Amino acid sequence: MTEMELIEKAKEALKYAYVPYSRFRVGAALEASDGTVFTGCNVENSAYPNTYCAERTALVKAVSEGYRKFTRIAIVAEKAMPYPCGACRQSLLEFAPDLEIIVHWNGKTEKACLRDMLSFGFGANAFPMEENGEAE
Amino acid sequence: MTEMELIEKAKEALKYAYVPYSRFRVGAALEASDGTVFTGCNVENSAYPNTYCAERTALVKAVSEGYRKFTRIAIVAEKAMPYPCGACRQSLLEFAPDLEIIVHWNGKTEKACLRDMLSFGFGANAFPMEENGEAE
Amino acid sequence: MTEMELIEKAKEALKYAYVPYSRFRVGAALEASDGTVFTGCNVENSAYPNTYCAERTALVKAVSEGYRKFTRIAIVAEKAMPYPCGACRQSLLEFAPDLEIIVHWNGKTEKACLRDMLSFGFGANAFPMEENGEAE
Amino acid sequence: MTEMELIEKAKEALKYAYVPYSRFRVGAALEASDGTVFTGCNVENSAYPNTYCAERTALVKAVSEGYRKFTRIAIVAEKAMPYPCGACRQSLLEFAPDLEIIVHWNGKTEKACLRDMLSFGFGANAFPMEENGEAE
């Protein structure tokens, strides 16, 4: 899938965003290592801490379908450049430290590697690999 | 779908649980008002607050596919009766205060209404409905 | 301390609320078993899931000062009756299932026991007590 | 306060950590712009997503006492180098993008600027400053 196609998938997902509180719609499209794409949108809650970001929606969808290896994620928003929040970076880091992050807004695209967006990440550093040894 | 069939869907989802930290596998199956079922499992993180419960995984999957009305959720675990945590109840309350909660463990099933499991819920009480006025 | 004094403590804490996104100020005052009171306010974040509620702010303050047993919490808001969200109930349940919850808004006060506000709570049910056996 | 004194404050706070699930104790000491120090520890929950990290415990304590400007945070752990998780970085970024992060473990100390540990941070970029305009 081309980068623009992945971005288009994220745009389609954005329309399902549930954002009565922020009115800030975000869509995401996460590509697994075999090319399968999982989309997500943000899902808010009247009690803000219970809000879900688009990136993590896509991630847990994928994991709940048996996928644990990912190559790219495209993130699209309407009002501003949707750099992923720190919590999303942490969640993605667990599965894909080398993930390519593609953010798109207002016709502009920026890219970075997850590892660079969360340098000195907590996770692999802190726990021995054996404890992470769930089979894929 | 019968109640037992919904429970079986939750059991199938449980096998995808990513639980290297707690070893506590949970699966969930959320039924939308048109009968479509969305499944979820728990997805943990080395930084515990970034963990996702099975119930919310199923919920955000459904919302990101355009569903916002739900009738029942079945929740299954291996080690203990999986009553949903408070945060999951809050997330589900946003969309389905009358949701039927079905928990299943070790051959036993218990049922309750979400509204009764989170009495005096924060949400509809606190904000005028207009602010929640996202179209379904 | 009288109930009204505890409510006044919560009101004082409310003024420190950091709420640029919701404009929904909340204050809380948590009473430990020895009578010491810890106050909290809500602390929001541009990425909504990283928001902190007033109740949990008060709770982690207390725990980080060595307190783990609590009797009452008063919660005050400006715009609506501040029933605690599900996530706050879950956090409080870990330490004080019998906590008395006092909500106050617009001159009105309501009270309930935490255990009744999160019936069939996840926690003590799910894990053997030994695993919870941190010394106080 | 010297850097080592700040680290010692974090070490003292670590002893109050409530960690029956991970057994991974963390302490933090956050220095406000006037030199006042607020300490925190991690506070876990049987439902993992409701866990609080030491860094955010220190942050919400400070905010709930009227502090919103910070210069340094020291973070100490027993078992591994305690780089802050992504969610903590996000929470701290809201108030102090230029915060100095000092991590300490096993006699070793590392330092970095928050802005570099969460490059392309979501927040100031995404929302106009006016919306953040709460008075300090």
Side-chain angles (χ1 to χ4, degrees):
Chain A
M1 185 175 288
T2 69
E3 186 173 298
M4 194 42 71
E5 284 168 339
L6 197 64
I7 290 172
E8 284 304 318
K9 288 274 190 192
K11 273 189 191 166
E12 287 165 31
L14 179 148
K15 73 181 178 204
Y16 294 122
Y18 174 77
V19 293
Y21 309 109
S22 74
R23 303 283 174 197
F24 188 82
R25 292 178 180 278
V26 183
L30 177 66
E31 184 189 61
S33 56
D34 73 349
T36 307
V37 173
F38 295 89
T39 59
C41 60
N42 47 345
V43 180
E44 298 188 342
N45 191 280
S46 59
Y48 286 17
N50 298 284
T51 291
Y52 291 79
C53 298
E55 299 92 316
R56 286 182 281 181
T57 294
L59 176 66
V60 296
K61 271 171 91 165
V63 174
S64 74
E65 302 290 338
Y67 290 80
R68 292 188 182 178
K69 289 184 176 163
F70 308 102
T71 51
R72 294 183 296 173
I73 188 169
I75 314 167
V76 174
E78 292 173 332
K79 297 187 180 174
M81 193 59 89
Y83 299 111
C85 83
C88 281
R89 297 179 194 193
Q90 182 69 44
S91 294
L92 292 165
L93 188 78
E94 182 86 14
F95 296 96
D98 293 316
L99 192 71
E100 185 182 28
I101 309 274
I102 302 159
V103 290
H104 181 87
W105 167 65
N106 200 19
K108 291 184 295 258
T109 301
E110 292 185 17
K111 287 189 276 187
C113 176
L114 174 56
R115 203 184 286 275
D116 296 331
M117 293 183 94
L118 195 67
S119 52
F120 299 103
F122 179 84
N125 313 71
F127 292 99
M129 265 310 172
E130 294 83 337
E131 292 188 27
N132 267 300
E134 288 288 290
E136 181 167 7
Chain B
M1 186 175 285
T2 69
E3 186 174 297
M4 194 42 71
E5 284 168 340
L6 197 64
I7 289 171
E8 284 303 319
K9 288 272 191 191
K11 272 188 193 169
E12 287 165 31
L14 177 148
K15 72 181 177 203
Y16 294 122
Y18 174 77
V19 293
Y21 309 107
S22 75
R23 303 284 173 194
F24 188 82
R25 293 178 179 278
V26 183
L30 177 66
E31 184 189 61
S33 55
D34 74 349
T36 307
V37 172
F38 296 89
T39 59
C41 60
N42 46 345
V43 180
E44 300 188 342
N45 192 279
S46 60
Y48 286 16
N50 298 283
T51 291
Y52 290 78
C53 298
E55 299 92 315
R56 287 182 281 181
T57 293
L59 176 67
V60 296
K61 271 170 89 166
V63 174
S64 75
E65 301 290 337
Y67 289 80
R68 291 188 182 178
K69 289 184 177 163
F70 308 102
T71 50
R72 293 183 297 174
I73 189 169
I75 313 167
V76 174
E78 292 173 331
K79 296 188 181 173
M81 192 59 89
Y83 300 111
C85 82
C88 281
R89 296 179 196 193
Q90 183 69 43
S91 294
L92 293 165
L93 189 78
E94 183 86 14
F95 296 96
D98 294 316
L99 192 71
E100 184 181 28
I101 309 274
I102 303 160
V103 289
H104 182 87
W105 168 63
N106 200 19
K108 289 185 294 258
T109 300
E110 291 187 17
K111 288 190 275 187
C113 177
L114 174 56
R115 202 185 288 276
D116 296 332
M117 292 182 94
L118 196 67
S119 53
F120 300 103
F122 179 83
N125 313 69
F127 291 99
M129 265 310 171
E130 293 85 336
E131 292 186 27
N132 267 301
E134 288 288 289
E136 180 166 7
Chain C
M1 186 175 288
T2 69
E3 185 173 300
M4 193 43 69
E5 284 169 339
L6 197 65
I7 289 171
E8 285 304 319
K9 289 272 191 192
K11 273 188 191 166
E12 285 166 32
L14 178 149
K15 73 181 178 203
Y16 294 122
Y18 174 77
V19 292
Y21 309 108
S22 74
R23 302 284 173 196
F24 189 82
R25 292 177 181 279
V26 183
L30 177 66
E31 184 189 61
S33 56
D34 72 350
T36 307
V37 173
F38 296 89
T39 59
C41 60
N42 46 345
V43 180
E44 299 189 343
N45 191 281
S46 59
Y48 286 16
N50 298 285
T51 291
Y52 290 78
C53 298
E55 298 92 316
R56 286 182 281 181
T57 294
L59 175 66
V60 296
K61 272 170 90 165
V63 174
S64 74
E65 302 291 337
Y67 290 80
R68 293 189 180 177
K69 289 184 178 163
F70 308 101
T71 49
R72 294 184 295 173
I73 188 170
I75 313 166
V76 174
E78 292 173 332
K79 297 187 180 175
M81 192 59 89
Y83 299 111
C85 84
C88 281
R89 297 180 194 193
Q90 182 70 43
S91 294
L92 293 165
L93 188 77
E94 183 86 14
F95 296 95
D98 293 316
L99 192 71
E100 184 181 28
I101 309 275
I102 303 160
V103 289
H104 182 87
W105 167 63
N106 200 19
K108 289 184 296 258
T109 299
E110 292 187 18
K111 288 190 275 187
C113 177
L114 174 56
R115 202 185 287 275
D116 296 330
M117 293 183 93
L118 195 68
S119 52
F120 299 102
F122 179 83
N125 313 71
F127 292 99
M129 264 311 172
E130 295 83 336
E131 293 187 27
N132 266 301
E134 289 289 291
E136 180 168 8
Chain D
M1 186 175 287
T2 69
E3 187 175 296
M4 194 41 71
E5 285 169 339
L6 197 63
I7 288 171
E8 284 303 319
K9 288 274 191 190
K11 272 189 194 167
E12 286 166 31
L14 179 147
K15 72 181 177 203
Y16 294 123
Y18 174 78
V19 293
Y21 309 108
S22 75
R23 302 285 173 195
F24 188 81
R25 292 178 179 277
V26 183
L30 177 67
E31 184 190 61
S33 55
D34 73 350
T36 307
V37 172
F38 295 88
T39 59
C41 59
N42 47 345
V43 180
E44 299 189 342
N45 191 280
S46 60
Y48 286 16
N50 298 285
T51 291
Y52 290 79
C53 297
E55 300 93 315
R56 288 183 280 181
T57 294
L59 175 66
V60 297
K61 270 170 90 165
V63 174
S64 75
E65 301 290 337
Y67 289 81
R68 292 188 182 179
K69 289 183 177 162
F70 308 101
T71 51
R72 294 184 294 173
I73 188 169
I75 313 167
V76 175
E78 292 173 332
K79 297 188 181 173
M81 192 60 90
Y83 300 110
C85 82
C88 282
R89 297 180 195 193
Q90 182 69 42
S91 294
L92 292 166
L93 188 78
E94 182 87 13
F95 296 97
D98 294 316
L99 191 71
E100 185 181 29
I101 309 275
I102 303 160
V103 290
H104 182 88
W105 167 64
N106 200 19
K108 292 185 293 262
T109 301
E110 293 186 16
K111 288 190 274 188
C113 177
L114 174 56
R115 202 185 287 276
D116 296 330
M117 292 183 94
L118 196 67
S119 53
F120 299 102
F122 179 84
N125 313 70
F127 292 98
M129 265 311 172
E130 294 83 337
E131 293 187 26
N132 267 301
E134 289 288 290
E136 180 165 7

